[in-house]
Amino acid sequence: MGELFRLVNKTQHYAWGSHETLAHMRGLSGPSDQPEAEVWVGAHPSAPSEIDIDGHKMGLDRVVENTPDRILPQGVKNFPFLFKILAIDAPLSIQVHPTDAQAESGFDRENQEGIALDDSSRNYKDRHSKPETVIALTPMKILTGVRPDHEIQEIATAFGLSWLADLLPVNSGKELLAKIIRLSEGDAAVALEETLDGVRTWAKTHTGGPCTLERAAELVEHIEEKCPGDRGLLVAVVMNLLYLEPGDSAFTPDGQVHAYVSGTAIEIMNPSDNVLRAGLTPKHIDTQELIEVLRDDQCAPEVVRANPDDAVVGKFSLWDERLSLIRIRVPASQAVDFTFEGTSTLLSVAGELTVESEQQSFTVYPTESLLHSGSDTATTIRGLGEAYVATYV
């Protein structure tokens, strides 16, 4: 039989985080003092979860390093995923993640150049790619990939964006992104002013216009409010804007430009912190490296839901056949039988749940989590609430 352990997870206090969302999930009566952006579940050295093991609390990264066979599937050397709750009050940076080959090359190159891991100009913090899937817990807006040509032309015409029209036509989403990213500071400033003026002029004479234009105008105003004067707005204008409903999920592959605009979500990814940024951030932007990492194909992802979506237990398929994500919705009148497999973490997002095996019992509340390792473990989950289980076998 496998083992279950309680984890204590760390919260990242990024500027785009919410003062209310995670505080409310934890049952606090008021807002947090600092913005709370992400809860991290995993062994990433930047913010490893603590594990209660053999009567001692230790960082999960240390336990994996010292006794990997107790935590990981056979033959696996690193904790295989990073699991998060996102609480988004302002847009995240527009960003791209590298492939494994790009990450390995970039990590080794920056090591040879003597760039410290905690240097703000460093692009590669590890040797891993970072494909990721996001699942909306509330209504959510995300930017991902590049709009179809006809939408970009429609936006350029309606808002009078001569700077954008002058960049067309292009042969790929990557080509258009590269042209925007390479605009000089002077040209970008002019383009920003033209975009804001064009959107506000259009909005004065249009109410309830075509959905594409109305949503694009709202996006521009929202970004300018949250990130005033940031040239990343020019990139955002040409990106696909998706509205996700609770339960919707979207996959972001390596090389895909993306940013999350608003909402609360679960996110699962490879255990990496490699980010190349394109805007909406005060952090380091390496223009040339960013363009190198971009993939040519920048199409919008398919929005999918759990299978089956209306059941107590539903499954999301992920990019790695060994990795899966299960959503468990426990009704008050029904106990749910669930078998943990491989290395897996349960992360609670609502209510109060009790997880019982033959030998162990844990009660978890929102933002709290459990780790399972070893052979399959049959459990019964009771209470009223919702949790997600990430599993690697």
Side-chain angles (χ1 to χ4, degrees):
M1 180 179 292
E3 295 181 278
L4 287 168
F5 307 93
R6 183 178 296 279
L7 295 179
V8 177
N9 305 312
K10 293 183 179 177
T11 299
Q12 302 284 47
H13 301 282
Y14 305 142
W16 51 262
S18 168
H19 287 265
E20 288 83 20
T21 300
L22 295 178
H24 178 73
M25 289 179 74
R26 295 190 189 99
L28 301 181
S29 59
S32 59
D33 293 335
Q34 301 180 68
E36 297 181 314
E38 299 181 344
V39 175
W40 282 31
V41 185
H44 196 284
S46 294
S49 300
E50 280 192 342
I51 182 171
D52 192 342
I53 186 168
D54 298 333
H56 302 283
K57 289 185 178 180
M58 298 176 61
L60 184 56
D61 55 337
R62 289 180 57 202
V63 176
V64 169
E65 182 180 357
N66 296 335
T67 56
D69 293 343
R70 187 168 182 182
I71 300 297
L72 304 177
Q74 186 174 4
V76 177
K77 297 181 180 179
N78 300 302
F79 199 81
F81 55 83
L82 181 57
F83 203 14
K84 298 180 180 181
I85 301 176
L86 308 181
I88 306 163
D89 189 58
L92 281 67
S93 61
I94 300 174
Q95 57 192 257
V96 182
H97 307 307
T99 64
D100 278 329
Q102 290 166 336
E104 289 173 6
S105 175
F107 184 82
D108 290 340
R109 182 178 65 250
E110 291 185 339
N111 280 350
Q112 292 169 5
E113 293 171 354
I115 304 174
L117 280 175
D118 59 356
D119 191 310
S120 61
S121 67
R122 178 138 188 161
N123 296 315
Y124 297 97
K125 306 294 181 63
D126 51 64
R127 292 187 171 90
H128 303 293
S129 61
K130 195 182 175 186
E132 60 190 41
T133 290
V134 66
I135 302 98
L137 297 176
T138 68
M140 190 179 184
K141 298 176 186 178
I142 69 172
L143 293 165
T144 178
V146 175
R147 295 176 186 267
D149 292 349
H150 71 275
E151 280 193 22
I152 296 173
Q153 187 62 65
E154 182 183 12
I155 287 170
T157 301
F159 299 153
L161 306 185
S162 61
W163 70 267
L164 181 54
D166 289 344
L167 300 181
L168 303 174
V170 292
N171 295 316
S172 67
K174 176 177 180 175
E175 181 183 344
L176 179 58
L177 291 171
K179 286 183 175 183
I180 296 172
I181 292 164
R182 286 183 171 134
L183 287 172
S184 69
E185 287 301 319
D187 288 343
V190 171
L192 274 173
E193 184 176 1
E194 183 180 62
T195 301
L196 293 171
D197 288 345
V199 164
R200 289 163 181 166
T201 298
W202 179 89
K204 289 177 181 178
T205 56
H206 294 78
T207 55
C211 187
T212 297
L213 297 178
E214 185 176 7
R215 288 184 170 184
E218 290 175 355
L219 174 70
V220 168
E221 294 283 13
H222 179 69
I223 290 177
E224 175 60 15
E225 176 190 353
K226 297 291 187 176
C227 310
D230 194 306
R231 60 180 292 167
L233 184 148
L234 305 177
V235 178
V237 164
V238 303
M239 294 174 66
N240 293 299
L241 175 60
L242 303 185
Y243 282 55
L244 303 184
E245 293 300 320
D248 287 346
S249 75
F251 170 60
T252 300
D254 303 327
Q256 176 100 336
V257 65
H258 63 288
Y260 303 145
V261 178
S262 63
T264 306
I266 285 285
E267 187 179 35
I268 184 166
M269 63 192 69
N270 276 4
S272 172
D273 199 24
N274 287 327
V275 178
L276 283 302
R277 296 177 178 85
L280 307 188
T281 178
K283 295 182 180 180
H284 174 65
I285 295 177
D286 185 333
T287 298
Q288 188 54 45
E289 192 68 20
L290 168 67
I291 293 171
E292 289 292 330
V293 168
L294 286 168
R295 61 193 294 156
D296 288 330
D297 177 12
Q298 293 286 333
C299 295
E302 179 184 5
V303 175
V304 299
R305 297 180 67 86
N307 182 28
D309 189 41
D310 57 353
V312 171
V313 177
K315 180 177 181 179
F316 294 90
S317 296
L318 302 175
W319 60 91
D320 184 336
E321 63 181 11
R322 299 183 66 176
L323 183 65
S324 64
L325 186 61
I326 302 291
R327 183 191 65 211
I328 304 174
R329 290 174 171 166
V330 182
S333 59
Q334 179 182 344
V336 177
D337 293 327
F338 182 78
T339 299
F340 286 89
E341 302 175 280
T343 295
S344 54
T345 56
L346 177 147
L347 176 57
S348 172
V349 297
E352 176 184 337
L353 300 174
T354 299
V355 181
E356 298 176 340
S357 68
E358 285 186 6
Q359 300 177 340
Q360 297 175 285
S361 178
F362 297 89
T363 299
V364 291
Y365 299 92
T367 75
E368 297 181 350
S369 60
L370 303 177
L371 169 71
H372 172 267
S373 66
S375 57
D376 294 358
T377 303
T379 68
T380 300
I381 305 177
R382 295 182 173 87
L384 174 62
E386 181 173 324
Y388 288 76
V389 181
T391 300
Y392 191 87
V393 295

